[in-house]
Amino acid sequence: MVQLSGIANETIRAEIEEFLERPEEIERNVELFSRASPAMQDIAAALIEGDNETVDRLTSAALADGVPALEIMDDGLIAGMGIVGIKFREGFVFVPEVLVSARAMKAGMAHIEPILAASGVEPIGTVIMGTVQGDLHDIGKNLCIMMLRGGGFTVIDLGVNTSPDEFLAAVKDSEARLIGMSALLTTTMPNMARTVEAFKDAGLREQVRFMVGGAPVTPEFGEEVGSDGYGKDALDCVALAKQLALEVRR
């Protein structure tokens, strides 16, 4: 039985108990927040509640107290947004709530990003993200983009209704090696396969790695269309991107 006693913040404990259902996600989040300081837990709780003013204040205070920017980003902002992403995927919250939490995360990142830029930290890599052709849904994609940027990636957002040719052009223009494709409609999922095939036809398939995700997408479907990995949520997307970034560097 997973123990929540190591988590000081009552809101975080309640969120895990009430909204997390998958054992591996419960274990991962209990471990994460048990390791995080009470101050980081407070930032995460305020972000989950969409309280951008409190996130702004707590982030500024933590930096003033000498907490490293990366710790605030990982243990506070990204950890909190990870809970929001799971709740959105499972239907406990909807687009308005996600947008409010995203605004809170931006309030915190406004303090963090200049510090990271000034420190000369090199991006892990560049990821091209787009919702595939015929699909106009982007909330899940945008959540992944926010988490990827927070996780140290440069992201090129192609938006929605992205054709295979647009993915190809973006890779040629940027020399990015990671591509994330999202779909919410089952009728548009085949366009993931068409995009992969377009890269094969252009002789670029071996140079890039494809990630796929979206509510109707499964790991099995990802294999069928020839992707290199499937992300079930925004946190998983970041972990997968880091893994694939190592592959393309070899």
Side-chain angles (χ1 to χ4, degrees):
M1 184 67 179
V2 176
Q3 298 296 320
L4 295 172
S5 57
I7 302 175
N9 187 279
E10 183 177 347
T11 297
I12 298 296
R13 292 199 306 269
E15 290 284 324
I16 292 174
E17 285 184 308
E18 185 173 355
F19 298 111
L20 271 60
E21 299 176 343
R22 301 183 185 184
E24 71 276 12
E25 291 180 343
I26 295 172
E27 183 176 355
R28 181 180 70 191
N29 279 278
V30 169
E31 180 182 352
L32 189 160
F33 286 109
S34 295
R35 185 181 69 242
S37 70
M40 298 305 99
Q41 294 177 36
D42 291 345
I43 289 174
L47 186 148
I48 293 168
E49 294 175 337
D51 188 344
N52 64 302
E53 293 183 359
T54 298
V55 171
D56 179 90
R57 175 175 55 80
L58 293 178
T59 301
S60 179
L63 289 169
D65 288 341
V67 180
L70 283 174
E71 179 179 342
I72 298 171
M73 183 176 70
D74 290 342
D75 293 352
L77 301 172
I78 291 180
M81 205 66 195
I83 297 285
V84 176
I86 292 172
K87 290 169 69 176
F88 177 68
R89 183 195 68 207
E90 300 297 339
F92 291 116
V93 296
F94 301 97
V95 172
E97 293 91 341
V98 173
L99 294 177
V100 170
S101 290
R103 182 181 65 174
M105 183 170 183
K106 287 181 180 179
M109 288 302 296
H111 296 281
I112 301 299
E113 288 175 342
I115 295 172
L116 296 181
S119 69
V121 175
E122 290 293 325
I124 296 172
T126 300
V127 184
I128 293 170
M129 295 288 286
T131 304
V132 294
Q133 192 166 30
D135 204 318
L136 302 178
H137 297 88
D138 65 356
I139 294 299
K141 172 185 68 69
N142 291 345
L143 183 56
C144 287
I145 288 172
M146 184 177 299
M147 298 291 278
L148 284 165
R149 285 173 174 158
F153 287 91
T154 297
V155 181
I156 299 171
D157 182 10
L158 300 183
V160 299
N161 193 30
T162 308
S163 68
D165 286 344
E166 288 174 308
F167 279 110
L168 275 168
V171 166
K172 293 176 181 178
D173 290 343
S174 66
E175 298 187 353
R177 294 295 175 257
L178 299 179
I179 301 168
M181 298 186 292
S182 173
L184 190 66
L185 302 175
T186 56
T187 54
T188 63
M189 287 166 59
N191 288 325
M192 292 180 168
R194 294 187 182 102
T195 300
V196 175
E197 286 299 316
F199 275 78
K200 290 180 180 178
D201 293 342
L204 295 175
R205 177 63 185 94
E206 297 305 315
Q207 299 178 30
V208 300
R209 297 293 183 272
F210 284 97
M211 307 182 293
V212 297
V217 180
T218 64
E220 293 75 20
F221 181 80
E223 292 182 9
E224 289 176 12
V225 302
S227 74
D228 300 289
Y230 157 81
K232 65 180 179 294
D233 56 34
L235 276 179
D236 204 38
C237 173
V238 176
L240 176 60
K242 288 181 177 180
Q243 172 192 325
L244 295 178
L246 292 176
E247 292 185 9
V248 294
R249 288 176 184 170
R250 293 170 185 165

